[in-house]
Structure formats: structure tokens, C-alpha cells
């Protein structure tokens, strides 16, 4: 009786699909192997006969326009899109229906990630594998990737190797003073670091700022100087 009830409700909420969808989330700092893990899972799904599609943000122009590429150079063809809503439109409804598994790389750049995962997994019966940065260079939540955790079947947090000591790296350090959140780049701009080196880097920046501040001429004296000159 219970089994009968649940299969009736599943087919009604799931647009008539026999199988419910799934959401799997892979997070971590840069260089942690998120894209490598995503490619492995997509290739394994494909080998077991499921139809797969890969999407990445069109903001990521680093290695190739229409491929997801790992830091080691592994490649997989993809749709490079500005948003996820455009995926079904681009593919067409018939082709969309045929897709079983959708990989999403650089998921932190998609504002409509939550709505897409809800629709694709809950209503269209797709398996979605989401990979992206959980935190930005300031260790603040990045985009809406953390919002999909309550939707997820599984969450995997990967770590890289700290570039300074070889320990486990949980965070991404930005090597430049650029402060905008979104800044596309690789090892030219970023490095993975452990907690100790993230914190010591922050302290070094703070000390430098304090020293520079102490050299600044106060505003009042600047006014006096210019007044004297007049
Ligand atoms: N500091 C590092 N720690 C770990 N892997 C690194 C590091 N620097 C370069 N790599 C390389 O990056 C690869 C992971 O690349 P990728 O899957 O594209 O990572 P992500 O998508 O998490 O940025 C590793 O297999 C390794 O060869
Ligand atoms: C930390 C941080 C990263 N980015 C950018 C830099 C890269 O283009 C991607 C991350 O790529 P990966 O596959 O995880 O290596 O995100 C950013 O825009 N802002 C940041 O704070």
C-alpha cells in the first residue's frame, strides 16, 4: 500500500518520469580536483549508457571556449552558457528530454543554479552533478552554490595542496590586490593554501597596510601646505 502510494505521487510530481532525479555537489578551493572529479563521473555515466551533457559558465574563457578543461589539460566538450535557463532553449525540448545526466562546472557563476537544479532533478528526472567554488578569495560564500546543498543527495568537499607548505589546502588565495569578486584566472592569479598560510597572508597584508598608513600625510597638514603655497 505504501509502495503503491509513493509511486503514484512520484510520477505525478516528476512529470511522469519513472525515476526521480539526483543532485550531487562537488565543492572546494581552486586546484582541488573538482573539474577532474566531475569529468570522471560524467565519463562513467556515459560509459554505462546514459546520455550526458556538460555545461560551464561562458564567463570562464581560460583554456577553451567550448570545453571544460582541468588544470592538467583533460578536456570534455561542453555548452558554454551565460545562464542555465538557456540550456533547454538551446538544445530544444526533444534533445533535452533525451539527456539523463547534466554536469555543471564553474557553478558559482550561475545565478539561476537553484531553480535549474529544482526543475531538472525534481520535475525532469535528471541527475545533476554540480562542481564549483564554495568560497571566494575572501572565504565568503560564492554565488548560489551553497544554496543547492539542501537539494543535494551528496556533497563532496575536496582539498588541494597548499602551495606554501604542501599541507591540505581548503582556501584560495588571490595573489593580486584586485578586489572584485569575479576575476577569471588560474595559477597566475590564485593559489590554494592551508588555514595557517591563509591567516598569515592576511596578517602580512594588514601589517603592510598599517605601515603604509603611518607614512601617509594627514589631510589637515596637506591643506595647510597647499594654503601656504597660495
Ligand atoms: N597546489 C595544487 N594542489 C593540488 N593540485 C594541483 C595544485 N596545483 C596544480 N594542481 C593540479 O590541478 C589538478 C586539479 O585540477 P582541476 O580538476 O581543474 O581542479 P579544480 O577544478 O578544483 O580547480 C590536480 O590534479 C593537479 O595536477
Ligand atoms: C577564488 C576566486 C576564483 N575566481 C575564479 C577564478 C577561476 O576562473 C574560477 C575558478 O576555477 P577552478 O575551476 O575552481 O580552478 O573562479 C573568482 O572569480 N573569484 C574568486 O574569488
Amino acid at each position: 500500500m505504501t509502495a503503491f502510494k509513493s509511486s503514484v505521487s512520484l510520477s505525478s510530481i516528476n512529470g511522469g518520469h519513472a525515476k526521480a532525479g539526483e543532485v550531487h555537489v562537488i565543492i572546494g578551493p581552486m586546484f582541488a580536483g573538482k573539474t577532474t572529479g566531475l569529468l570522471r563521473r560524467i565519463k562513467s555515466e556515459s560509459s554505462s549508457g546514459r546520455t550526458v551533457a556538460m555545461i560551464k559558465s561562458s564567463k570562464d574563457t581560460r583554456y577553451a571556449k567550448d570545453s571544460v578543461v582541468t588544470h592538467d589539460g583533460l578536456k570534455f566538450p561542453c555548452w558554454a552558457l551565460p545562464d542555465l535557463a538557456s540550456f533547454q532553449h538551446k538544445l530544444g525540448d526533444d534533445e533535452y528530454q533525451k539527456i539523463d545526466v547534466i554536469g555543471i562546472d564553474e557553478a558559482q557563476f550561475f545565478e539561476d543554479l537553484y531553480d535549474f537544479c529544482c526543475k531538472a532533478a525534481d520535475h525532469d528526472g535528471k541527475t545533476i552533478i554540480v562542481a564549483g567554488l564554495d568560497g571566494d578569495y575572501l572565504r565568503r560564500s560564492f554565488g548560489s552554490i551553497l544554496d543547492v546543498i539542501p537539494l543535494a543527495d551528496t556533497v563532496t568537499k575536496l582539498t588541494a595542496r597548499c602551495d606554501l607548505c604542501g599541507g591540505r589546502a581548503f582556501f584560495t588565495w588571490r595573489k593580486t590586490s584586485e578586489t572584485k569578486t569575479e576575476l577569471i584566472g588560474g595559477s597566475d592569479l590564485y593559489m590554494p593554501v592551508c588555514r595557517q598560510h591563509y591567516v598569515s597572508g592576511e596578517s602580512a597584508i594588514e601589517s603592510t597596510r598599517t605601515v603604509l598608513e603611518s607614512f601617509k600625510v594627514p589631510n589637515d597638514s596637506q591643506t595647510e601646505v597647499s594654503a601656504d603655497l597660495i
Side-chain angles (χ1 to χ4, degrees), residues 59-134:
K59 288 177 182 170
D60 179 14
T61 49
R62 279 177 301 175
Y63 300 119
K65 200 170 144 264
D66 293 323
S67 296
V68 162
V69 186
T70 69
H71 291 295
D72 299 325
L74 293 177
K75 272 189 180 186
F76 195 87
C78 74
W79 297 82
L81 302 173
D83 54 58
L84 293 165
S86 53
F87 179 61
Q88 195 171 345
H89 298 301
K90 288 246 178 193
L91 214 61
D93 288 345
D94 289 349
E95 288 304 308
Y96 178 78
Q97 296 303 330
K98 290 180 198 160
I99 303 284
D100 302 307
V101 185
I102 303 171
I104 304 173
D105 201 19
E106 306 299 342
Q108 70 275 4
F109 293 133
F110 288 115
E111 280 173 20
D112 56 350
L113 185 65
Y114 186 91
D115 291 347
F116 181 85
C117 289
C118 265
K119 180 183 175 299
D122 296 355
H123 299 280
D124 304 338
K126 314 286 185 202
T127 295
I128 313 296
I129 308 169
V130 172
L133 294 171
D134 47 335

Side-chain angles (χ1 to χ4, degrees), residues 76-212:
F76 195 87
C78 74
W79 297 82
L81 302 173
D83 54 58
L84 293 165
S86 53
F87 179 61
Q88 195 171 345
H89 298 301
K90 288 246 178 193
L91 214 61
D93 288 345
D94 289 349
E95 288 304 308
Y96 178 78
Q97 296 303 330
K98 290 180 198 160
I99 303 284
D100 302 307
V101 185
I102 303 171
I104 304 173
D105 201 19
E106 306 299 342
Q108 70 275 4
F109 293 133
F110 288 115
E111 280 173 20
D112 56 350
L113 185 65
Y114 186 91
D115 291 347
F116 181 85
C117 289
C118 265
K119 180 183 175 299
D122 296 355
H123 299 280
D124 304 338
K126 314 286 185 202
T127 295
I128 313 296
I129 308 169
V130 172
L133 294 171
D134 47 335
D136 64 11
Y137 75 104
L138 295 173
R139 303 191 300 176
R140 305 279 183 197
S141 171
F142 202 165
S144 49
I145 195 155
L146 296 184
D147 296 342
V148 298
I149 287 182
L151 299 177
D153 297 50
T154 67
V155 179
T156 308
K157 175 140 180 169
L158 300 176
T159 54
R161 290 262 149 237
C162 175
D163 263 9
L164 300 175
C165 69
R168 287 177 79 193
F170 309 97
F171 314 118
T172 311
W173 181 259
R174 185 176 280 174
K175 297 174 180 178
T176 69
S177 54
E178 177 62 65
T179 56
K180 64 181 179 188
T181 302
E182 291 185 6
L183 180 67
I184 304 301
S187 56
D188 50 336
L189 297 181
Y190 298 99
M191 64 181 181
V193 286
C194 66
R195 186 178 300 276
Q196 190 202 332
H197 283 110
Y198 188 92
V199 173
S200 57
E202 272 186 325
S203 319
I205 288 179
E206 196 44 50
S207 314
T208 310
R209 192 173 291 133
T210 312
V211 170
L212 289 175

